[in-house]
């Protein structure tokens, strides 16, 4: 059913976007561009070929069939934000949060309100290796989802991390978005 297919694609998009955000955060935290260079070209290709040309087109077709056109209304604006972030990497934090919030909104407002029995669209190709590679090489903690269990962590937060953690390093990666080694 198409509902599960869209959910699977959302999962892939979230992992790829978090990979971009984590790589950007690490590049700022450790002042080393190699972390961002590692993923930026891949993510640009992933975004254009998978998100824009496959996933978004599929969503737009399905949403018009099930009368949820408003769920895909943000695609054009998000694409503009993405293109700005790809040319001005200081905007990657902003883009990543917009993209993550958009997928969560689609899941909550759209997919939770349809039955998924319409016809499915084209196949999904999975790109989870980068997310797995980054999250196994670096002890990144998303404090919104996981409780700290390590002595040394990299955290990404929406508030100045020194309010909760004893810091080793920190960097601002977006508007009210921080990365820190604690």
């Amino acid at each position: 059913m198409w509902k599960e297919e869209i959910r699977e694609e959302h999962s892939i998009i979230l992992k790829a976007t978090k990979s971009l955000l984590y790589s950007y955060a690490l590049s700022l935290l450790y002042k080393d561009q190699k972390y961002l260079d590692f993923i930026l070209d891949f993510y640009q290709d992933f975004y254009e070929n998978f998100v824009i040309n496959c996933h978004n087109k599929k969503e737009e077709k399905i949403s018009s069939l099930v009368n949820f056109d408003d769920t895909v209304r943000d695609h054009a604006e998000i694409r503009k934000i993405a293109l700005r972030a790809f040319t001005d990497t200081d905007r990657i934090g902003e883009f990543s949060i917009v993209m993550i919030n958009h997928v969560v909104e689609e899941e909550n407002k759209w997919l939770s309100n349809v039955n998924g029995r319409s016809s499915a669209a084209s196949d999904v190709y999975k790109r989870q290796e980068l997310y797995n590679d980054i999250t196994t090489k670096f002890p990144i903690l998303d404090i919104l989802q996981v409780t700290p269990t390590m002595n040394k962590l990299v955290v990404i937060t929406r508030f100045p991390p020194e309010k909760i953690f004893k810091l080793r390093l920190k960097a601002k990666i977006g508007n009210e978005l921080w990365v820190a080694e604690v």
Side-chain angles (χ1 to χ4, degrees), residues 23-48:
S23 296
Y24 174 64
L26 291 168
S27 73
L28 291 178
L29 183 66
Y30 295 118
K31 296 175 178 43
D32 192 338
Q33 187 68 24
K34 73 178 179 186
Y35 297 107
L36 182 58
D37 292 344
F38 173 70
I39 192 172
L40 189 57
D41 288 339
F42 162 79
Y43 192 89
Q44 286 178 266
D45 181 64
F46 170 83
Y47 184 79
E48 284 297 321

Side-chain angles (χ1 to χ4, degrees), residues 50-120:
F50 181 73
V51 176
I52 299 297
N53 294 326
C54 179
H55 176 77
N56 284 2
K57 286 182 180 181
K58 188 184 307 180
E59 271 189 347
E60 289 160 7
K61 179 180 178 183
I62 294 168
S63 68
S64 66
L65 295 173
V66 295
N67 297 319
F68 275 91
D69 288 327
D70 63 324
T71 60
V72 295
R73 72 190 176 286
D74 296 333
H75 287 175
E77 185 59 32
I78 293 170
R79 187 173 190 183
K80 290 177 190 174
I81 294 168
L83 294 175
R84 284 192 300 264
F86 297 153
T87 57
D88 178 4
T89 57
D90 289 342
R91 295 175 174 241
I92 287 177
E94 170 197 357
F95 163 71
S96 298
I97 296 304
V98 166
M99 189 69 172
I100 291 166
N101 288 342
H102 173 73
V103 170
V104 170
E105 179 185 19
E106 285 186 343
E107 288 284 325
N108 292 336
K109 285 187 171 181
W110 179 37
L111 289 178
S112 63
N113 293 311
V114 295
N115 65 22
R117 292 200 170 102
S118 299
S119 62

Side-chain angles (χ1 to χ4, degrees), residues 130-181:
L130 285 174
Y131 179 82
N132 293 336
D133 190 41
I134 290 168
T135 57
T136 55
K137 286 183 181 175
F138 297 96
I140 295 174
L141 173 68
D142 181 337
I143 64 171
L144 299 175
Q145 300 170 353
V146 180
T147 304
T149 58
M150 306 170 127
N151 291 332
K152 179 180 174 182
L153 301 171
V154 174
V155 295
I156 297 176
T157 178
R158 290 182 183 259
F159 54 87
E162 61 272 13
K163 291 186 176 186
I164 293 181
F165 301 103
K166 182 178 178 184
L167 304 181
R168 294 177 186 179
L169 295 169
K170 82 171 184 178
K172 191 168 185 173
I173 59 174
N175 187 24
E176 297 182 23
L177 194 60
W178 297 86
V179 60
E181 182 180 283

